[in-house]
Amino acid sequence: MNKVDIHGIGMTSRRTRDRLITRLKDQGIRSLEVLDVIRNTPRHLFVDEALSHRAYEDTALPIGYGQTLSQPYIVARMTEALLAAGPLERVLEIGTGSGYQTAVLSPLVKKVYSVERIKPLHERARKLLRTLSIKNAQLKLSDGGMGWPVMDPFDGIMVTAAPDQIPEELLQQLSEDGGRLIIPVGDRGVQDLLLITRQGNAFKRESLEAVRFVPLLAGIQK
Ligand code: SAH
C-alpha cells in the first residue's frame, strides 16, 4: 500500500476543515450555524493557489494589493456577534476583499451588500461568488466609508477594515430598531472590535476584543 490518499483532496480537506472547526469551538465560538457555514465554505478558493494548503489553518492570509483575509476565528467571532440577537435580513459589509466573509454571510442572512475600494479585488470576488452560485450578494466598487446610502437601512453592518473613528454615515444607515454595527476602531497597531446597537437615536457601544485589521482607506483604487 503506498501513501497516496486514495480518497483524494476531498477527504483530506474534510479532515483539515474539521480540525479548524474544533479549534474555533475551543476558542469559544458557540453558534453551530456559524461553525457549519465555515465548515462548508471553501476558503482555499479565496486565496492564491500557492497558499491554498494553508487555507484551513486559523491564520490570516494575504490576498494581494497589500490586503489580508482575516483569520477564521475573527470571521467566526464577527459573524456570531452580528447575528447574536437573532436573524438579520439586510447586511452591509465594508471591505469585500476576497469575498470570503461575504460567502460566509450569504447563507445566514437574506441579502448581503458588500463594497470594496480596490477594483481588481472587487472584480475577482464578484467572479468567484458567481462561480459558487451565491445569488443573494450584491457587490459594488466604492468607498465604504460612505456606506451604501440608497440601499439603507441595514439590520447589520460589518466593517472588515479599521477606521480611526466610526464613520457617522454608517451609524445613520443602521435600522433604528436594533441595527447592529461591528467595526474595528483605532490606529494602525491594535484596534478595538466594537459592537454598536442602535435603538432610535441611541447607540449602545460594547467592546468585544483587541484585533488587528488593515486600515479603512478613502477613495477608489482602479
Ligand atoms: N472581508 C474581507 C477582508 C479583506 S481585508 C475578506 O473576507 O477577504 C479589508 C478590505 O477592505 C480590503 O480589501 C480593502 O481594500 C478594503 N477597504 C479598505 N478601505 C475600504 C473602503 N473605504 N471602502 C471599501 N473597502 C475598503
Side-chain angles (χ1 to χ4, degrees):
M1 184 100 169
N2 63 33
K3 286 192 176 162
V4 173
D5 171 10
I6 54 163
H7 300 293
I9 189 114
M11 286 300 283
T12 309
S13 78
R14 169 134 35 116
R15 274 198 303 273
T16 43
R17 288 184 198 202
D18 286 345
R19 248 194 316 267
L20 172 61
I21 299 309
T22 304
R23 191 184 150 103
L24 296 179
K25 281 185 189 159
D26 289 347
Q27 286 180 288
I29 304 300
R30 291 281 164 268
S31 165
L32 296 179
E33 239 190 335
V34 171
L35 290 167
D36 221 44
V37 171
I38 290 187
R39 190 200 307 271
N40 293 324
T41 305
R43 192 170 183 259
H44 63 282
L45 300 180
F46 292 85
V47 295
D48 193 83
E49 220 176 325
L51 291 168
S52 60
H53 66 289
R54 301 193 58 198
Y56 300 96
E57 292 174 17
D58 188 22
T59 181
L61 291 171
I63 55 172
Y65 307 90
Q67 306 305 318
T68 48
L69 169 47
S70 304
Q71 73 179 107
Y73 166 71
I74 291 295
V75 171
R77 178 84 168 96
M78 288 174 81
T79 309
E80 183 175 68
L82 196 69
L83 293 164
L88 301 179
E89 299 215 335
R90 301 162 55 75
V91 170
L92 171 66
E93 175 194 20
I94 311 292
T96 316
S98 67
Y100 177 74
Q101 175 74 70
T102 320
V104 167
L105 284 167
S106 78
L108 295 168
V109 306
K110 197 162 172 195
K111 176 107 193 206
V112 192
Y113 299 86
S114 182
V115 301
E116 169 59 51
R117 63 175 288 278
I118 299 178
K119 193 173 184 199
L121 287 176
H122 161 73
E123 287 175 343
R124 195 171 67 193
R126 175 174 273 174
K127 212 177 283 170
L128 181 52
L129 295 176
R130 198 175 293 150
T131 305
L132 295 173
S133 298
I134 290 173
K135 298 205 164 53
N136 64 338
Q138 189 170 337
L139 270 47
K140 185 168 78 145
L141 178 69
S142 78
D143 178 352
M146 308 285 138
W148 192 336
V150 283
M151 295 300 184
D152 72 329
F154 300 101
D155 309 314
I157 301 179
M158 183 189 288
V159 185
T160 65
D164 292 339
Q165 289 180 0
I166 302 175
E168 182 62 28
E169 287 84 350
L170 299 185
L171 294 173
Q172 293 312 324
Q173 288 172 30
L174 283 175
S175 57
E176 291 187 21
D177 182 19
R180 293 159 80 79
L181 167 67
I182 299 244
I183 183 166
V185 178
D187 66 24
R188 302 194 174 187
V190 178
Q191 304 111 18
D192 202 4
L193 185 62
L194 300 178
L195 169 64
I196 312 289
T197 314
R198 178 174 189 181
Q199 285 298 344
N201 277 323
F203 296 87
K204 188 179 83 175
R205 176 183 169 127
E206 289 164 67
S207 169
L208 300 182
E209 60 189 270
V211 288
R212 203 180 282 265
F213 275 83
V214 294
L216 187 84
L217 301 175
I220 288 172
Q221 184 179 321
K222 294 277 175 183

